[in-house]
């Protein structure tokens, strides 16, 4: 074997030793799954009883003691049939999940593409409970068995990560997308309480600011869906205590707009003012558009007629109205509310930070979050109304089946 071959072999051995749980494929960082082996002893299991899991890519250099935790999103199941179906998929079982996940956007290890968090310890928490990591119950009719253990999954994963260095973090950021973005509202203060007082702890929700609104038929579709979800999966005891003690209807505290004012940990809200999931399932659910008048508009905002645009502008005004107290409070965190027809923008490299990402007041999402987290400058960016923003990446996916709510 010549010297060149020996050097190459040595390099490969070093890579295998130093990074056994990650590989680089076509410039993509793939990170391997870690199962929480002792979770079942605490009753922390997925819908089907399989163990919970996460993906960890270790930090290095100046970021060695900093931690970013990202809740995976993926909708909810609010009745037994939908939860039984979900338990047979990657949304309800680690047995069906990909064992490697691409880390991009806020999870990237590329200094150019993720300038503020690239060298942190970055963790993706896999989602398999169907209730934003918040339920605690079980269904067993003798034939079918389902575990609603999202709260225990959260606690089991955190215990495991605390042992791996989170307990001595200098900086920590809890984030998530969609149903995972909602989970950050539910667990933010608890996350703060688990870490040392001298740790700089903050939270970020991406596309998780679900509004308590009526649909175009004036039905409270999302509220009814969430109320069924809360009852089925035993979520209410795990909602923010100060919020539930203040409301005649404690279940409303599942909605971020009601819980936000009780969260004391610094918080950043990243959301589209025309969030396509809320547009398609909360504002115009299939049940409110039986004849499909909104079908073309849902797929392409340029196809919306004047009446539909007026309704969408009303949705935006409603979101900004409930966010106004947060916006006006100079000490209450950060915001980036753009006017793109999108859903989840932090894990996509094209929208987080790239050559041509969405901007508000010439600021990218990554720059806004970094400025806020490190207190470089106040960051509360609100975009003008559609169609003024020509930097948008309008990521409208095909509507899912009526029986599913999976962003």
């Amino acid at each position: 074997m010549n010297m060149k071959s020996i050097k190459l072999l040595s390099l490969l051995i070093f890579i295998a030793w130093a990074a056994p749980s990650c590989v680089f494929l076509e410039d993509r960082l793939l990170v391997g799954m870690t199962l929480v082996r002792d979770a079942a002893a605490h009753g922390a299991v997925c819908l089907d009883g399989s163990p919970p899991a996460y993906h960890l890519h270790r930090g290095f250099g100046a970021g060695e003691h900093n931690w970013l935790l990202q809740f995976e999103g993926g909708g909810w199941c609010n009745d037994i049939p939908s939860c039984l179906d979900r338990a047979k998929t990657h949304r309800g079982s680690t047995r069906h999940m990909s064992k490697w996940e691409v880390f991009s956007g806020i999870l990237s290890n590329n200094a150019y593409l993720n300038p503020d968090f690239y060298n942190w310890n970055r963790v993706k928490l896999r989602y398999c409970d169907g209730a934003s990591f918040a339920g605690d119950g079980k269904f067993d009719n003798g034939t079918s068995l389902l575990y609603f253990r999202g709260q225990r999954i959260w606690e089991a994963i955190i215990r495991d990560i605390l042992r791996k260095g989170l307990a001595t973090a200098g900086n920590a950021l809890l984030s998530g997308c969609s149903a995972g973005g909602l989970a950050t509202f539910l667990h933010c203060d608890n996350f703060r309480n688990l870490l040392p007082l001298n740790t700089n702890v903050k939270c970020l929700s991406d596309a998780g600011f679900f509004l308590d609104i009526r649909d175009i038929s004036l039905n409270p579709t999302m509220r009814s869906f969430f109320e069924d979800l809360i009852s089925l999966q035993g979520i209410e005891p795990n909602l923010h205590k100060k919020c539930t003690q203040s409301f005649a209807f404690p279940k409303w505290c599942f909605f971020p707009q009601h819980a936000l004012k009780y969260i004391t940990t610094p918080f950043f809200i990243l959301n589209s003012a025309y969030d396509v999931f809320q547009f398609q399932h909360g504002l115009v659910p299939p049940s409110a558009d039986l004849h499909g008048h909104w079908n073309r508009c849902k797929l392409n905002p340029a196809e919306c007629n004047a009446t539909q645009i007026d309704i969408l502008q009303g949705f935006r005004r409603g979101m900004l109205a409930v966010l106004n107290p947060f916006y006006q409070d100079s000490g209450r965190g950060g915001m980036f509310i753009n006017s793109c027809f999108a859903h989840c923008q932090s894990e996509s490299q094209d929208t987080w930070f790239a050559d041509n990402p969405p901007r508000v007041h010439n600021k990218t999402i990554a720059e806004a979050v970094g400025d806020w987290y490190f207190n470089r400058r106040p960051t509360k960016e609100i975009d003008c109304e559609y169609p003024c923003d020509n930097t948008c990446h309008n990521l409208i996916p095909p509507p899912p089946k009526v029986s599913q709510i999976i962003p």
Side-chain angles (χ1 to χ4, degrees):
M1 183 179 291
N2 59 34
M3 186 58 66
K4 185 176 180 180
S5 298
I6 292 173
K7 287 182 178 180
L8 178 59
L9 180 60
S10 298
L11 177 61
L12 292 173
I13 291 172
F14 172 77
I15 291 172
W17 169 81
S21 63
C22 68
V23 297
F24 295 89
L25 182 63
E26 297 176 352
D27 296 325
R28 295 186 303 162
L29 172 63
L30 295 177
V31 181
M33 174 185 284
T34 299
L35 292 173
V36 186
R37 298 292 182 181
D38 65 347
H42 301 278
V45 292
C46 299
L47 285 170
D48 71 332
S50 58
Y54 61 89
H55 301 252
L56 164 63
H57 189 247
R58 285 288 187 177
F60 57 92
E64 182 180 3
H65 299 292
N66 300 332
W67 289 77
L68 187 154
L69 277 62
Q70 178 88 352
F71 284 118
E72 183 179 28
W76 312 270
C77 62
N78 72 336
D79 57 32
I80 297 302
S82 64
C83 288
L84 286 171
D85 287 344
R86 189 181 180 99
K88 301 170 187 175
T89 74
H90 68 287
R91 296 299 189 193
S93 170
T94 50
R95 297 187 182 101
H96 300 290
M97 287 181 182
S98 59
K99 301 306 183 282
W100 297 85
E101 280 289 293
V102 175
F103 272 31
S104 63
I106 196 172
L107 295 174
S108 172
N109 68 331
N110 185 308
Y112 172 75
L113 298 175
N114 187 25
D116 285 308
F117 307 107
Y118 73 97
N119 61 353
W120 287 29
N121 297 282
R122 285 153 291 110
V123 186
K124 185 169 186 176
L125 284 67
R126 299 307 298 270
Y127 183 33
C128 65
D129 64 278
S132 290
F133 296 84
D136 194 3
K138 189 170 96 171
F139 171 79
D140 185 357
N141 66 356
T143 303
S144 300
L145 176 62
L146 288 167
Y147 297 92
F148 304 130
R149 298 289 172 77
Q151 179 69 26
R152 300 192 199 191
I153 288 172
W154 157 247
E155 293 168 357
I157 292 177
I158 283 293
R159 277 195 304 269
D160 207 45
I161 299 173
L162 284 169
R163 293 193 292 261
K164 295 183 177 181
L166 177 62
T168 57
N171 293 295
L173 176 62
L174 181 67
S175 62
C177 153
S178 191
L182 177 55
T184 64
F185 287 99
L186 301 177
H187 296 297
C188 182
D189 278 350
N190 174 240
F191 184 61
R192 161 68 278 180
N193 293 335
L194 290 170
L195 297 177
L197 293 177
N198 62 350
T199 302
N200 181 29
V201 181
K202 298 186 179 183
C203 302
L204 160 68
S205 170
D206 175 10
F209 197 75
F210 294 96
L211 293 174
D212 185 6
I213 60 167
R214 292 183 179 272
D215 64 31
I216 57 171
S217 295
L218 302 182
N219 293 314
T221 297
M222 286 303 294
R223 181 184 290 183
S224 298
F225 183 91
F226 281 158
E227 286 180 347
D228 290 344
L229 170 68
I230 292 164
S231 296
L232 176 70
Q233 296 221 26
I235 294 172
E236 189 172 319
N238 299 320
L239 299 177
H240 202 293
K241 294 296 187 291
K242 289 183 179 179
C243 181
T244 57
Q245 291 167 2
S246 302
F247 273 89
F249 301 98
K251 292 180 181 179
W252 290 4
C253 294
F254 194 72
F255 281 101
Q257 71 186 74
H258 302 309
L260 180 58
K261 70 178 180 179
Y262 300 99
I263 298 172
T264 58
T265 307
F267 211 101
F268 191 99
I269 298 172
L270 164 60
N271 231 90
S272 165
Y274 308 96
D275 179 87
V276 293
F277 180 80
Q278 296 194 64
F279 170 20
Q280 295 179 356
H281 295 287
L283 182 64
V284 192
S287 61
D289 185 33
L290 297 177
H291 299 290
H293 297 306
W294 283 78
N295 286 353
R296 294 174 66 184
C297 177
K298 282 183 174 183
L299 292 174
N300 182 359
E303 297 289 335
C304 300
N305 62 40
T307 300
Q308 291 168 337
I309 289 293
D310 284 344
I311 291 171
L312 288 167
Q313 303 298 19
F315 176 83
R316 173 182 178 271
R317 288 192 295 271
M319 179 180 291
L320 296 182
V322 297
L323 281 171
N324 189 58
F326 183 78
Y327 178 82
Q328 296 294 338
D329 188 338
S330 60
R332 293 283 337 265
M335 295 170 58
F336 191 99
I337 309 297
N338 61 8
S339 292
C340 306
F341 283 77
H343 183 69
C344 290
Q345 300 177 85
S346 62
E347 283 191 47
S348 169
Q349 198 62 64
D350 286 345
T351 48
W352 174 250
F353 191 81
D355 292 334
N356 185 31
R359 296 174 182 269
V360 176
H361 303 136
N362 202 34
K363 184 176 289 188
T364 67
I365 295 171
E367 290 167 340
V369 173
D371 284 349
W372 160 77
Y373 187 90
F374 293 103
N375 299 317
R376 292 193 288 249
R377 57 186 64 85
T379 306
K380 290 189 177 178
E381 308 292 349
I382 298 179
D383 210 352
C384 49
E385 67 179 28
Y386 174 83
C388 71
D389 190 339
N390 60 9
T391 71
C392 279
H393 293 211
N394 289 325
L395 310 174
I396 296 187
K401 295 178 181 178
V402 175
S403 61
Q404 298 175 325
I405 297 197
I406 301 178

